[in-house]
PDB file of all heavy atoms in Angstrom:
ATOM      1  N   ILE O 278       4.121  28.025  68.260  1.00  0.00           N
ATOM      2  CA  ILE O 278       4.671  26.727  67.901  1.00  0.00           C
ATOM      3  C   ILE O 278       6.101  26.922  67.406  1.00  0.00           C
ATOM      4  O   ILE O 278       6.329  27.630  66.451  1.00  0.00           O
ATOM      5  CB  ILE O 278       3.834  26.064  66.836  1.00  0.00           C
ATOM      6  CG1 ILE O 278       2.376  26.135  67.122  1.00  0.00           C
ATOM      7  CG2 ILE O 278       4.335  24.683  66.522  1.00  0.00           C
ATOM      8  CD1 ILE O 278       2.028  25.420  68.462  1.00  0.00           C
ATOM      9  N   LEU O 279       7.111  26.375  68.178  1.00  0.00           N
ATOM     10  CA  LEU O 279       8.454  26.800  67.957  1.00  0.00           C
ATOM     11  C   LEU O 279       9.294  25.653  67.375  1.00  0.00           C
ATOM     12  O   LEU O 279       9.103  24.483  67.642  1.00  0.00           O
ATOM     13  CB  LEU O 279       9.077  27.165  69.251  1.00  0.00           C
ATOM     14  CG  LEU O 279       8.463  28.289  70.030  1.00  0.00           C
ATOM     15  CD1 LEU O 279       9.256  28.559  71.288  1.00  0.00           C
ATOM     16  CD2 LEU O 279       8.405  29.555  69.169  1.00  0.00           C
ATOM     17  N   VAL O 280      10.258  26.058  66.518  1.00  0.00           N
ATOM     18  CA  VAL O 280      11.327  25.147  66.100  1.00  0.00           C
ATOM     19  C   VAL O 280      12.681  25.929  66.328  1.00  0.00           C
ATOM     20  O   VAL O 280      12.686  27.157  66.373  1.00  0.00           O
ATOM     21  CB  VAL O 280      11.220  24.758  64.578  1.00  0.00           C
ATOM     22  CG1 VAL O 280       9.965  23.891  64.464  1.00  0.00           C
ATOM     23  CG2 VAL O 280      11.217  25.989  63.690  1.00  0.00           C
ATOM     24  N   GLY O 281      13.772  25.171  66.314  1.00  0.00           N
ATOM     25  CA  GLY O 281      15.129  25.874  66.415  1.00  0.00           C
ATOM     26  C   GLY O 281      15.417  26.575  65.136  1.00  0.00           C
ATOM     27  O   GLY O 281      14.974  26.233  64.060  1.00  0.00           O
ATOM     28  N   ILE O 282      16.285  27.623  65.248  1.00  0.00           N
ATOM     29  CA  ILE O 282      16.574  28.403  64.073  1.00  0.00           C
ATOM     30  C   ILE O 282      17.303  27.605  62.965  1.00  0.00           C
ATOM     31  O   ILE O 282      17.288  27.995  61.814  1.00  0.00           O
ATOM     32  CB  ILE O 282      17.463  29.638  64.499  1.00  0.00           C
ATOM     33  CG1 ILE O 282      17.553  30.673  63.419  1.00  0.00           C
ATOM     34  CG2 ILE O 282      18.885  29.200  64.944  1.00  0.00           C
ATOM     35  CD1 ILE O 282      16.294  31.403  63.172  1.00  0.00           C
ATOM     36  N   GLU O 283      17.929  26.469  63.404  1.00  0.00           N
ATOM     37  CA  GLU O 283      18.704  25.652  62.416  1.00  0.00           C
ATOM     38  C   GLU O 283      17.852  24.539  61.840  1.00  0.00           C
ATOM     39  O   GLU O 283      18.264  23.690  61.052  1.00  0.00           O
ATOM     40  CB  GLU O 283      19.953  25.055  63.054  1.00  0.00           C
ATOM     41  CG  GLU O 283      20.945  26.134  63.436  1.00  0.00           C
ATOM     42  CD  GLU O 283      22.156  25.514  64.118  1.00  0.00           C
ATOM     43  OE1 GLU O 283      22.233  24.346  64.298  1.00  0.00           O
ATOM     44  OE2 GLU O 283      23.137  26.295  64.427  1.00  0.00           O
ATOM     45  N   ASN O 284      16.635  24.480  62.220  1.00  0.00           N
ATOM     46  CA  ASN O 284      15.666  23.415  61.707  1.00  0.00           C
ATOM     47  C   ASN O 284      15.424  23.689  60.288  1.00  0.00           C
ATOM     48  O   ASN O 284      15.064  24.788  59.904  1.00  0.00           O
ATOM     49  CB  ASN O 284      14.344  23.470  62.492  1.00  0.00           C
ATOM     50  CG  ASN O 284      13.470  22.219  62.130  1.00  0.00           C
ATOM     51  OD1 ASN O 284      13.323  21.845  61.070  1.00  0.00           O
ATOM     52  ND2 ASN O 284      12.944  21.670  63.291  1.00  0.00           N
ATOM     53  N   PRO O 285      15.659  22.702  59.350  1.00  0.00           N
ATOM     54  CA  PRO O 285      15.534  22.953  57.923  1.00  0.00           C
ATOM     55  C   PRO O 285      14.084  23.136  57.505  1.00  0.00           C
ATOM     56  O   PRO O 285      13.776  23.567  56.351  1.00  0.00           O
ATOM     57  CB  PRO O 285      16.066  21.712  57.278  1.00  0.00           C
ATOM     58  CG  PRO O 285      16.038  20.674  58.380  1.00  0.00           C
ATOM     59  CD  PRO O 285      16.206  21.357  59.648  1.00  0.00           C
ATOM     60  N   PHE O 286      13.083  22.852  58.320  1.00  0.00           N
ATOM     61  CA  PHE O 286      11.668  23.021  57.949  1.00  0.00           C
ATOM     62  C   PHE O 286      11.334  24.502  57.786  1.00  0.00           C
ATOM     63  O   PHE O 286      11.439  25.251  58.802  1.00  0.00           O
ATOM     64  CB  PHE O 286      10.788  22.348  58.980  1.00  0.00           C
ATOM     65  CG  PHE O 286       9.279  22.470  58.616  1.00  0.00           C
ATOM     66  CD1 PHE O 286       8.772  21.723  57.638  1.00  0.00           C
ATOM     67  CD2 PHE O 286       8.440  23.340  59.309  1.00  0.00           C
ATOM     68  CE1 PHE O 286       7.399  21.800  57.276  1.00  0.00           C
ATOM     69  CE2 PHE O 286       7.093  23.475  58.997  1.00  0.00           C
ATOM     70  CZ  PHE O 286       6.577  22.743  57.999  1.00  0.00           C
ATOM     71  N   GLN O 287      10.973  24.953  56.676  1.00  0.00           N
ATOM     72  CA  GLN O 287      10.643  26.347  56.447  1.00  0.00           C
ATOM     73  C   GLN O 287       9.146  26.546  56.080  1.00  0.00           C
ATOM     74  O   GLN O 287       8.826  27.634  55.643  1.00  0.00           O
ATOM     75  CB  GLN O 287      11.526  26.919  55.213  1.00  0.00           C
ATOM     76  CG  GLN O 287      13.002  26.857  55.480  1.00  0.00           C
ATOM     77  CD  GLN O 287      13.382  27.837  56.605  1.00  0.00           C
ATOM     78  OE1 GLN O 287      12.809  28.837  56.782  1.00  0.00           O
ATOM     79  NE2 GLN O 287      14.447  27.440  57.365  1.00  0.00           N
ATOM     80  N   GLY O 288       8.400  25.564  56.261  1.00  0.00           N
ATOM     81  CA  GLY O 288       6.984  25.633  55.961  1.00  0.00           C
ATOM     82  C   GLY O 288       6.104  26.211  57.023  1.00  0.00           C
ATOM     83  O   GLY O 288       6.542  26.827  58.020  1.00  0.00           O
ATOM     84  N   LYS O 289       4.825  25.873  56.903  1.00  0.00           N
ATOM     85  CA  LYS O 289       3.857  26.230  57.893  1.00  0.00           C
ATOM     86  C   LYS O 289       3.030  25.003  58.241  1.00  0.00           C
ATOM     87  O   LYS O 289       3.044  23.989  57.543  1.00  0.00           O
ATOM     88  CB  LYS O 289       2.896  27.362  57.434  1.00  0.00           C
ATOM     89  CG  LYS O 289       2.271  27.011  56.038  1.00  0.00           C
ATOM     90  CD  LYS O 289       1.636  28.335  55.470  1.00  0.00           C
ATOM     91  CE  LYS O 289       1.002  27.989  54.116  1.00  0.00           C
ATOM     92  NZ  LYS O 289       0.459  29.213  53.453  1.00  0.00           N
ATOM     93  N   LEU O 290       2.251  25.131  59.278  1.00  0.00           N
ATOM     94  CA  LEU O 290       1.434  23.991  59.747  1.00  0.00           C
ATOM     95  C   LEU O 290      -0.082  24.354  59.772  1.00  0.00           C
ATOM     96  O   LEU O 290      -0.364  25.525  60.020  1.00  0.00           O
ATOM     97  CB  LEU O 290       1.871  23.513  61.134  1.00  0.00           C
ATOM     98  CG  LEU O 290       3.255  22.939  61.315  1.00  0.00           C
ATOM     99  CD1 LEU O 290       3.534  22.637  62.762  1.00  0.00           C
ATOM    100  CD2 LEU O 290       3.463  21.710  60.463  1.00  0.00           C
ATOM    101  N   THR O 291      -0.906  23.368  59.482  1.00  0.00           N
ATOM    102  CA  THR O 291      -2.327  23.512  59.708  1.00  0.00           C
ATOM    103  C   THR O 291      -2.608  23.018  61.156  1.00  0.00           C
ATOM    104  O   THR O 291      -1.840  22.262  61.706  1.00  0.00           O
ATOM    105  CB  THR O 291      -3.151  22.743  58.698  1.00  0.00           C
ATOM    106  OG1 THR O 291      -2.905  21.374  58.867  1.00  0.00           O
ATOM    107  CG2 THR O 291      -2.758  23.167  57.257  1.00  0.00           C
ATOM    108  N   SER O 292      -3.774  23.369  61.636  1.00  0.00           N
ATOM    109  CA  SER O 292      -4.137  22.830  62.954  1.00  0.00           C
ATOM    110  C   SER O 292      -4.257  21.375  62.944  1.00  0.00           C
ATOM    111  O   SER O 292      -3.972  20.691  63.920  1.00  0.00           O
ATOM    112  CB  SER O 292      -5.475  23.514  63.428  1.00  0.00           C
ATOM    113  OG  SER O 292      -6.369  23.581  62.445  1.00  0.00           O
ATOM    114  N   GLU O 293      -4.705  20.752  61.804  1.00  0.00           N
ATOM    115  CA  GLU O 293      -4.807  19.313  61.793  1.00  0.00           C
ATOM    116  C   GLU O 293      -3.398  18.673  61.785  1.00  0.00           C
ATOM    117  O   GLU O 293      -3.248  17.622  62.440  1.00  0.00           O
ATOM    118  CB  GLU O 293      -5.517  18.891  60.439  1.00  0.00           C
ATOM    119  CG  GLU O 293      -5.688  17.394  60.270  1.00  0.00           C
ATOM    120  CD  GLU O 293      -6.564  16.741  61.304  1.00  0.00           C
ATOM    121  OE1 GLU O 293      -7.309  17.483  61.937  1.00  0.00           O
ATOM    122  OE2 GLU O 293      -6.497  15.506  61.383  1.00  0.00           O
ATOM    123  N   GLN O 294      -2.427  19.242  61.078  1.00  0.00           N
ATOM    124  CA  GLN O 294      -1.064  18.699  61.095  1.00  0.00           C
ATOM    125  C   GLN O 294      -0.514  18.838  62.505  1.00  0.00           C
ATOM    126  O   GLN O 294       0.204  17.920  63.030  1.00  0.00           O
ATOM    127  CB  GLN O 294      -0.234  19.481  60.065  1.00  0.00           C
ATOM    128  CG  GLN O 294      -0.506  19.173  58.650  1.00  0.00           C
ATOM    129  CD  GLN O 294       0.262  20.049  57.726  1.00  0.00           C
ATOM    130  OE1 GLN O 294       0.476  21.278  57.974  1.00  0.00           O
ATOM    131  NE2 GLN O 294       0.657  19.583  56.579  1.00  0.00           N
ATOM    132  N   LEU O 295      -0.743  19.921  63.183  1.00  0.00           N
ATOM    133  CA  LEU O 295      -0.312  20.126  64.563  1.00  0.00           C
ATOM    134  C   LEU O 295      -0.871  19.044  65.467  1.00  0.00           C
ATOM    135  O   LEU O 295      -0.131  18.505  66.297  1.00  0.00           O
ATOM    136  CB  LEU O 295      -0.707  21.529  65.049  1.00  0.00           C
ATOM    137  CG  LEU O 295      -0.125  21.884  66.400  1.00  0.00           C
ATOM    138  CD1 LEU O 295       1.355  22.019  66.381  1.00  0.00           C
ATOM    139  CD2 LEU O 295      -0.744  23.246  66.892  1.00  0.00           C
ATOM    140  N   ARG O 296      -2.149  18.787  65.336  1.00  0.00           N
ATOM    141  CA  ARG O 296      -2.775  17.777  66.128  1.00  0.00           C
ATOM    142  C   ARG O 296      -2.155  16.405  65.924  1.00  0.00           C
ATOM    143  O   ARG O 296      -1.934  15.655  66.884  1.00  0.00           O
ATOM    144  CB  ARG O 296      -4.311  17.724  65.928  1.00  0.00           C
ATOM    145  CG  ARG O 296      -4.973  16.623  66.717  1.00  0.00           C
ATOM    146  CD  ARG O 296      -6.480  16.687  66.589  1.00  0.00           C
ATOM    147  NE  ARG O 296      -6.957  16.381  65.221  1.00  0.00           N
ATOM    148  CZ  ARG O 296      -8.212  16.379  64.797  1.00  0.00           C
ATOM    149  NH1 ARG O 296      -9.187  16.760  65.721  1.00  0.00           N
ATOM    150  NH2 ARG O 296      -8.535  16.072  63.599  1.00  0.00           N
ATOM    151  N   LYS O 297      -1.832  16.105  64.635  1.00  0.00           N
ATOM    152  CA  LYS O 297      -1.310  14.787  64.295  1.00  0.00           C
ATOM    153  C   LYS O 297       0.190  14.674  64.875  1.00  0.00           C
ATOM    154  O   LYS O 297       0.529  13.584  65.267  1.00  0.00           O
ATOM    155  CB  LYS O 297      -1.346  14.573  62.810  1.00  0.00           C
ATOM    156  CG  LYS O 297      -2.737  14.289  62.280  1.00  0.00           C
ATOM    157  CD  LYS O 297      -2.709  14.011  60.776  1.00  0.00           C
ATOM    158  CE  LYS O 297      -4.203  13.667  60.286  1.00  0.00           C
ATOM    159  NZ  LYS O 297      -4.107  13.401  58.852  1.00  0.00           N
ATOM    160  N   ILE O 298       0.846  15.753  64.794  1.00  0.00           N
ATOM    161  CA  ILE O 298       2.230  15.769  65.372  1.00  0.00           C
ATOM    162  C   ILE O 298       2.226  15.463  66.885  1.00  0.00           C
ATOM    163  O   ILE O 298       2.932  14.545  67.390  1.00  0.00           O
ATOM    164  CB  ILE O 298       3.014  17.096  65.122  1.00  0.00           C
ATOM    165  CG1 ILE O 298       3.293  17.193  63.572  1.00  0.00           C
ATOM    166  CG2 ILE O 298       4.282  17.146  65.867  1.00  0.00           C
ATOM    167  CD1 ILE O 298       3.824  18.535  63.170  1.00  0.00           C
ATOM    168  N   PHE O 299       1.428  16.208  67.626  1.00  0.00           N
ATOM    169  CA  PHE O 299       1.411  16.089  69.052  1.00  0.00           C
ATOM    170  C   PHE O 299       0.580  14.880  69.615  1.00  0.00           C
ATOM    171  O   PHE O 299       0.692  14.555  70.772  1.00  0.00           O
ATOM    172  CB  PHE O 299       1.001  17.358  69.680  1.00  0.00           C
ATOM    173  CG  PHE O 299       2.079  18.395  69.764  1.00  0.00           C
ATOM    174  CD1 PHE O 299       2.287  19.261  68.740  1.00  0.00           C
ATOM    175  CD2 PHE O 299       2.941  18.431  70.812  1.00  0.00           C
ATOM    176  CE1 PHE O 299       3.345  20.192  68.719  1.00  0.00           C
ATOM    177  CE2 PHE O 299       3.970  19.385  70.883  1.00  0.00           C
ATOM    178  CZ  PHE O 299       4.236  20.190  69.769  1.00  0.00           C
ATOM    179  N   SER O 300      -0.175  14.212  68.676  1.00  0.00           N
ATOM    180  CA  SER O 300      -0.796  12.986  69.156  1.00  0.00           C
ATOM    181  C   SER O 300       0.076  11.733  68.727  1.00  0.00           C
ATOM    182  O   SER O 300      -0.344  10.666  69.017  1.00  0.00           O
ATOM    183  CB  SER O 300      -2.196  12.872  68.461  1.00  0.00           C
ATOM    184  OG  SER O 300      -2.105  12.865  67.098  1.00  0.00           O
ATOM    185  N   GLY O 301       1.186  12.081  68.002  1.00  0.00           N
ATOM    186  CA  GLY O 301       2.093  10.954  67.650  1.00  0.00           C
ATOM    187  C   GLY O 301       1.766  10.290  66.369  1.00  0.00           C
ATOM    188  O   GLY O 301       2.413   9.316  65.974  1.00  0.00           O
ATOM    189  N   LYS O 302       0.822  10.804  65.539  1.00  0.00           N
ATOM    190  CA  LYS O 302       0.456  10.228  64.263  1.00  0.00           C
ATOM    191  C   LYS O 302       1.376  10.662  63.147  1.00  0.00           C
ATOM    192  O   LYS O 302       1.481   9.963  62.147  1.00  0.00           O
ATOM    193  CB  LYS O 302      -1.015  10.491  63.884  1.00  0.00           C
ATOM    194  CG  LYS O 302      -2.023   9.941  64.913  1.00  0.00           C
ATOM    195  CD  LYS O 302      -3.412  10.301  64.548  1.00  0.00           C
ATOM    196  CE  LYS O 302      -4.388   9.677  65.610  1.00  0.00           C
ATOM    197  NZ  LYS O 302      -5.805  10.155  65.265  1.00  0.00           N
ATOM    198  N   VAL O 303       2.013  11.808  63.214  1.00  0.00           N
ATOM    199  CA  VAL O 303       2.952  12.256  62.345  1.00  0.00           C
ATOM    200  C   VAL O 303       4.316  12.312  63.048  1.00  0.00           C
ATOM    201  O   VAL O 303       4.431  13.033  64.079  1.00  0.00           O
ATOM    202  CB  VAL O 303       2.640  13.678  61.724  1.00  0.00           C
ATOM    203  CG1 VAL O 303       3.808  14.338  61.048  1.00  0.00           C
ATOM    204  CG2 VAL O 303       1.394  13.614  60.811  1.00  0.00           C
ATOM    205  N   THR O 304       5.314  11.637  62.485  1.00  0.00           N
ATOM    206  CA  THR O 304       6.566  11.501  63.259  1.00  0.00           C
ATOM    207  C   THR O 304       7.748  11.976  62.479  1.00  0.00           C
ATOM    208  O   THR O 304       8.834  11.973  62.976  1.00  0.00           O
ATOM    209  CB  THR O 304       6.739  10.008  63.639  1.00  0.00           C
ATOM    210  OG1 THR O 304       6.760   9.284  62.379  1.00  0.00           O
ATOM    211  CG2 THR O 304       5.617   9.536  64.548  1.00  0.00           C
ATOM    212  N   ASN O 305       7.609  12.422  61.180  1.00  0.00           N
ATOM    213  CA  ASN O 305       8.718  12.870  60.416  1.00  0.00           C
ATOM    214  C   ASN O 305       8.354  14.147  59.721  1.00  0.00           C
ATOM    215  O   ASN O 305       7.194  14.361  59.269  1.00  0.00           O
ATOM    216  CB  ASN O 305       9.034  11.792  59.327  1.00  0.00           C
ATOM    217  CG  ASN O 305      10.444  11.927  58.790  1.00  0.00           C
ATOM    218  OD1 ASN O 305      10.612  12.825  57.988  1.00  0.00           O
ATOM    219  ND2 ASN O 305      11.325  11.063  59.125  1.00  0.00           N
ATOM    220  N   TRP O 306       9.331  15.043  59.631  1.00  0.00           N
ATOM    221  CA  TRP O 306       9.102  16.323  58.987  1.00  0.00           C
ATOM    222  C   TRP O 306       8.724  16.174  57.535  1.00  0.00           C
ATOM    223  O   TRP O 306       8.005  17.062  56.972  1.00  0.00           O
ATOM    224  CB  TRP O 306      10.360  17.236  59.117  1.00  0.00           C
ATOM    225  CG  TRP O 306      10.558  17.806  60.503  1.00  0.00           C
ATOM    226  CD1 TRP O 306      11.465  17.431  61.414  1.00  0.00           C
ATOM    227  CD2 TRP O 306       9.768  18.782  61.107  1.00  0.00           C
ATOM    228  NE1 TRP O 306      11.296  18.117  62.575  1.00  0.00           N
ATOM    229  CE2 TRP O 306      10.277  18.975  62.425  1.00  0.00           C
ATOM    230  CE3 TRP O 306       8.687  19.555  60.701  1.00  0.00           C
ATOM    231  CZ2 TRP O 306       9.826  19.961  63.287  1.00  0.00           C
ATOM    232  CZ3 TRP O 306       8.184  20.493  61.579  1.00  0.00           C
ATOM    233  CH2 TRP O 306       8.694  20.691  62.857  1.00  0.00           C
ATOM    234  N   SER O 307       9.093  15.115  56.861  1.00  0.00           N
ATOM    235  CA  SER O 307       8.677  14.927  55.465  1.00  0.00           C
ATOM    236  C   SER O 307       7.195  14.754  55.305  1.00  0.00           C
ATOM    237  O   SER O 307       6.667  14.991  54.218  1.00  0.00           O
ATOM    238  CB  SER O 307       9.427  13.715  54.886  1.00  0.00           C
ATOM    239  OG  SER O 307       9.060  12.498  55.613  1.00  0.00           O
ATOM    240  N   GLN O 308       6.503  14.361  56.338  1.00  0.00           N
ATOM    241  CA  GLN O 308       5.068  14.151  56.307  1.00  0.00           C
ATOM    242  C   GLN O 308       4.290  15.427  56.314  1.00  0.00           C
ATOM    243  O   GLN O 308       3.072  15.504  55.988  1.00  0.00           O
ATOM    244  CB  GLN O 308       4.620  13.296  57.486  1.00  0.00           C
ATOM    245  CG  GLN O 308       5.127  11.856  57.438  1.00  0.00           C
ATOM    246  CD  GLN O 308       4.782  11.109  58.708  1.00  0.00           C
ATOM    247  OE1 GLN O 308       5.528  11.048  59.641  1.00  0.00           O
ATOM    248  NE2 GLN O 308       3.594  10.459  58.664  1.00  0.00           N
TER     249      GLN O 308
END
């Protein structure tokens, strides 16, 4: 699971968060 080197997100994801991102339920990095 990739982001650009300049992406300010420094955290990690759970499989549930990943599913919500790619299903369109999570749309902002703040979530």
Side-chain angles (χ1 to χ4, degrees):
I278 309 304
L279 302 181
V280 295
I282 196 68
E283 296 180 356
N284 191 313
F286 181 74
Q287 298 293 326
K289 54 189 177 183
L290 296 176
T291 66
S292 42
E293 180 65 17
Q294 289 172 327
L295 186 66
R296 180 172 66 180
K297 288 182 177 180
I298 289 172
F299 280 88
S300 63
K302 295 178 180 178
V303 166
T304 59
N305 197 288
W306 285 107
S307 62
Q308 294 174 267

